[in-house]
Amino acid sequence: MSGKLIVVSNRIPTAATPSGGLVFALHETLRKTGGIWIGSDPEFQADPSDTLKEIGDQSTYQRLAFEMSETDYQTFYLGFANSVLWPVCHRRGDLVQMSRRFEEGYRRVNKRLARQIFEVAGPEDMIWVHDYHFFPLAADLRELGFEGKIGFFLHIPFPALGDMGALPPSANLAHWLADYDLVGLQTRSDVARCLEMFRSELGAELMHDGKIKYGERRVGVRSFPIGIDVEAFVATAEKSTNREEIAKDLSGELIIGVDRLDYSKGLPNRFRAFGRYLETRKDKERRPSLLQIAPPTREEVSAYRDIRFELEELAGRLNGENAELDWTPLRYIHRNIDRDVLAKLFRTARVGFVTPFADGMNLVAKEYIAAQDPEDPGVLVLSRMAGAAEDMTEALLVNPYDIEEMSEALAQALDMPLEERQARYTACMKRVRATDVGRWSENYLNALKDSRRDLSWSSFNERHKNSA
Ligand code: ADP
C-alpha cells in the first residue's frame, strides 16, 4: 500500500496502549503500519468544528476526533444509530423510534465527517470504516471526489430484507454500501442476507467473481468472523488458578452470563430458563447459582430502561421463590468488572450461558472458551442466533426462545462427563484460535488491498452530476 491506513470507528481509544480485543487489534495494526484513527470526541461542543482535532496519545499513529453537539449525539448516536438501525439489524422493528430529526442528524454527522476525512486523506490512502454508525460514509466521500479504497465492516447482524421495511426511504443500504470496495460481515448468513438485499434491487447484479455490480459500481461482500485476542485472554485467565480466592463467596456450581444490558441479549428468557432448571432438577440438594453481570448501556433510550425493570422484577421473583437462608441462586451485577476478574470468573464457572436473540458474533462466547482449563473445562451453552454459533457447533446450541430446551441444556452441561467436556472444548477452542482478532484484521486489510475498482470514478461523478 503506498498510502496510509485510516481507521474510522465511533469510539476512539485515548490510552497509549489500549486494552480490549478489537481496540487492541486495530491499535496493533496501526502501530505497525502507521496512519490515522478517527473517532468521536466524547465532549460535546455547541458548535462542532469543521476540522478534526488530535486526541489522546499520538506517539505511534495519529488519533483524531470529530466533534459533535449534544443534538448530534441525541439524533445521530442515540437516535438513528441506536433507536433505528440497531433494532432493525437485531430483528426488533417493533422498537424502532421514527423521527425526521434522527434521519437528519445521521446524515448531517456522516456528511460532516466525510468532509473532515476528505481534508486529511491522500488519494492513495485506504479507509476502513467500522459499523452501523457510518453506513453512508463511502457514498459521502465519493460525492466529494475521493477515489481511493474504502472498506466497511459491520459488527452487528446484517438485517433481513423484510425487516428493512422499518427503515425510512432515505436509508437505502444497497445504495450506501455499493460505494465501498469491500463490505465485511461477520457470518455466512449475514452475507446471504446482504446478497438477498442486492438481488432485490433493480440494477444490481451478482458477478462471476462474487462481487455485486450496482450501476457502475462494484462491491465485494465477504464474511470475516471476528474473534478475541486469544493469547492475551488465555494468559489472563491462567494467571490465577486459585479458584478459592475468586469464588470464595460463590458456593456450589457456577453458571455465568456476561452481557451489556441490551434487549438483544435474551436475558429475561435466560433467567426464566435458569428458574425452570431449578424447578425441574432431580437432585434438590444441588445448588448451582447463576451469576449474571450486565453493565448498563444506552440508558437514555427507553427500550433499555424497560429491559432493566423487567430483569429486576424477574430476578427478585426468582430469588424470592428459590433462595434458602444460605443460598442465593441468582446474583445479578449491574456494572462493569475488570477484565482479569472476568477471565477468572469464566474459568471458575462450570457453564457459560450465552443466549442472545440476535448477535453479530458474541465475543463473550469466545472469551468463555479461551478462559477454560483444558484439563477440566466448563461447557458453553450458546444461542443458535449468535454469529459465534455458525462455527462453534460443538457448544451446546440452544434456541433462545425455548425456555424448556435451555433448561435441559443447563442440566446436560452440569452433568456432562469430563471426556465430553474436553472434546467439546477442544473443538470450540480450535475455532476461537482460527478467528484470533489479529489475524482477522490482517485478513480483512489484505482483502481490501486486493480489491480492484474497475470503473472510472470520473464517469461515476459525471453520472451523479447528471442525475442531480
Ligand atoms: P457486544 O459487542 O454486543 O457488547 P460482545 O459479546 O461481542 O457483545 O462483546 C462484549 C465485550 O464486552 C466482551 O469483550 C465482554 O467481555 C465485555 N463485557 C461485557 N460485559 C462486561 C462487564 N460487565 N464488565 C467488563 N466487560 C464486559
Side-chain angles (χ1 to χ4, degrees):
M1 186 172 82
S2 45
K4 59 184 177 299
L5 173 66
I6 300 177
V7 171
V8 183
S9 65
N10 185 50
R11 292 234 165 81
I12 184 165
T14 49
T17 310
S19 61
L22 170 68
V23 165
F24 182 73
L26 292 175
H27 165 80
E28 280 298 294
T29 306
L30 278 166
R31 202 175 58 78
K32 284 184 214 139
T33 61
I36 307 179
W37 190 335
I38 299 172
S40 64
D41 185 351
E43 307 266 315
F44 302 138
Q45 304 295 334
D47 189 11
S49 159
D50 268 344
T51 46
L52 297 165
K53 70 172 191 201
E54 293 197 333
I55 187 168
D57 182 81
Q58 302 285 327
S59 54
T60 42
Y61 53 88
Q62 219 182 355
R63 297 178 209 216
L64 298 176
F66 64 91
E67 291 178 348
M68 274 194 283
S69 64
E70 185 147 11
T71 306
D72 290 337
Y73 177 75
Q74 295 287 345
T75 56
F76 155 79
Y77 179 77
L78 291 176
F80 202 77
N82 285 308
S83 301
V84 178
L85 291 170
W86 179 276
V88 166
C89 291
H90 289 85
R91 295 197 291 266
R92 289 301 304 267
D94 57 312
L95 296 179
V96 167
Q97 304 273 315
M98 274 301 186
S99 154
R100 296 291 165 270
R101 286 176 57 243
F102 293 174
E103 285 176 67
E104 285 156 17
Y106 189 70
R107 298 304 292 120
R108 180 175 64 247
V109 170
N110 272 278
K111 279 182 188 294
R112 188 196 302 140
L113 179 58
R115 289 196 299 275
Q116 293 167 327
I117 296 173
F118 192 63
E119 284 299 306
V120 297
E124 300 292 313
D125 290 353
M126 197 160 86
I127 302 175
W128 189 9
V129 178
H130 287 262
D131 236 357
Y132 58 102
H133 314 87
F134 305 118
F135 276 114
L137 203 51
D140 293 338
L141 277 158
R142 299 298 184 205
E143 212 160 296
L144 294 168
F146 184 77
E147 297 184 11
K149 283 178 182 163
I150 317 179
F152 181 73
F153 188 81
L154 183 66
H155 292 258
I156 66 176
F158 196 86
L161 190 56
D163 293 336
M164 277 184 226
L167 291 173
S170 67
N172 185 334
L173 294 192
H175 189 80
W176 285 341
L177 290 177
D179 273 318
Y180 289 95
D181 296 281
L182 177 63
V183 169
L185 303 169
Q186 297 276 23
T187 64
R188 297 185 294 279
S189 311
D190 290 308
V191 171
R193 285 192 290 274
C194 184
L195 295 184
E196 190 193 15
M197 172 194 71
F198 277 113
R199 256 189 230 118
S200 75
E201 284 281 317
L202 279 175
E205 230 179 283
L206 186 59
M207 317 264 291
H208 289 306
D209 61 2
K211 285 189 177 174
I212 306 291
K213 180 170 179 286
Y214 189 67
E216 298 186 37
R217 295 167 275 178
R218 308 270 189 287
V219 55
V221 179
R222 274 183 54 190
S223 69
F224 297 84
I226 199 170
I228 60 169
D229 184 358
V230 183
E231 288 321 318
F233 208 81
V234 168
T236 313
E238 274 173 356
K239 237 188 275 163
S240 165
T241 47
N242 185 355
R243 288 188 178 200
E244 255 91 306
E245 179 203 324
I246 198 85
K248 58 179 180 288
D249 294 329
L250 299 168
S251 54
E253 294 158 308
L254 184 65
I255 301 163
I256 193 166
V258 176
D259 318 69
R260 279 180 311 100
L261 184 41
D262 194 295
Y263 49 78
S264 65
K265 301 289 183 184
L267 295 172
N269 274 5
R270 190 180 306 172
F271 285 11
R272 290 187 186 104
F274 177 59
R276 180 75 187 142
Y277 167 77
L278 293 181
E279 265 169 49
T280 53
R281 74 195 191 283
K282 294 197 182 74
D283 178 2
K284 296 288 179 204
E285 296 302 305
R286 201 162 186 174
R287 291 175 163 193
S289 60
L290 170 60
L291 172 62
Q292 177 63 53
I293 301 170
T297 173
R298 304 171 197 162
E299 284 194 303
E300 300 96 323
V301 177
S302 60
Y304 288 79
R305 290 194 296 273
D306 295 347
I307 184 86
R308 179 177 176 167
F309 293 139
E310 185 182 359
L311 274 182
E312 279 166 0
E313 199 196 316
L314 270 171
R317 199 175 328 136
L318 192 140
N319 275 335
E321 283 169 5
N322 294 284
E324 304 282 349
L325 287 174
D326 56 350
W327 174 47
T328 311
L330 175 62
R331 286 152 203 259
Y332 173 39
I333 299 180
H334 194 50
R335 60 170 180 279
N336 274 301
I337 301 279
D338 287 344
R339 286 189 74 69
D340 53 342
V341 176
L342 208 58
K344 286 170 210 156
L345 285 170
F346 283 147
R347 197 174 175 89
T348 306
R350 274 275 140 250
V351 182
F353 204 13
V354 182
T355 58
F357 292 139
D359 214 327
M361 178 52 59
N362 195 292
L363 295 178
V364 166
K366 297 192 174 183
E367 290 170 351
Y368 177 76
I369 291 293
Q372 294 311 299
D373 174 1
E375 300 298 317
D376 184 19
V379 180
L380 175 64
V381 175
L382 176 63
S383 160
R384 288 192 189 92
M385 312 291 198
E390 198 166 271
D391 283 334
M392 291 163 81
T393 48
E394 296 302 315
L396 286 184
L397 298 184
V398 292
N399 172 354
Y401 295 100
D402 188 341
I403 311 290
E404 206 68 43
E405 188 192 38
M406 286 192 285
S407 131
E408 285 161 14
L410 281 182
Q412 190 187 346
L414 288 168
D415 289 337
M416 193 177 284
L418 177 64
E419 215 169 284
E420 182 178 349
R421 281 190 275 130
Q422 283 178 324
R424 288 180 183 273
Y425 157 80
T426 306
C428 287
M429 191 61 185
K430 207 166 151 194
R431 291 309 305 160
V432 171
R433 285 194 194 285
T435 57
D436 182 274
V437 72
R439 266 161 84 177
W440 168 84
S441 96
E442 219 176 282
N443 288 343
Y444 182 89
L445 286 171
N446 284 338
L448 180 58
K449 263 179 236 162
D450 288 346
S451 64
R452 295 263 173 279
R453 295 198 69 80
D454 37 11
L455 78 163
S456 126
W457 276 103
S458 48
S459 77
F460 170 69
N461 286 331
E462 257 336 284
R463 193 173 56 82
H464 250 290
K465 260 184 249 145
N466 294 341
S467 64

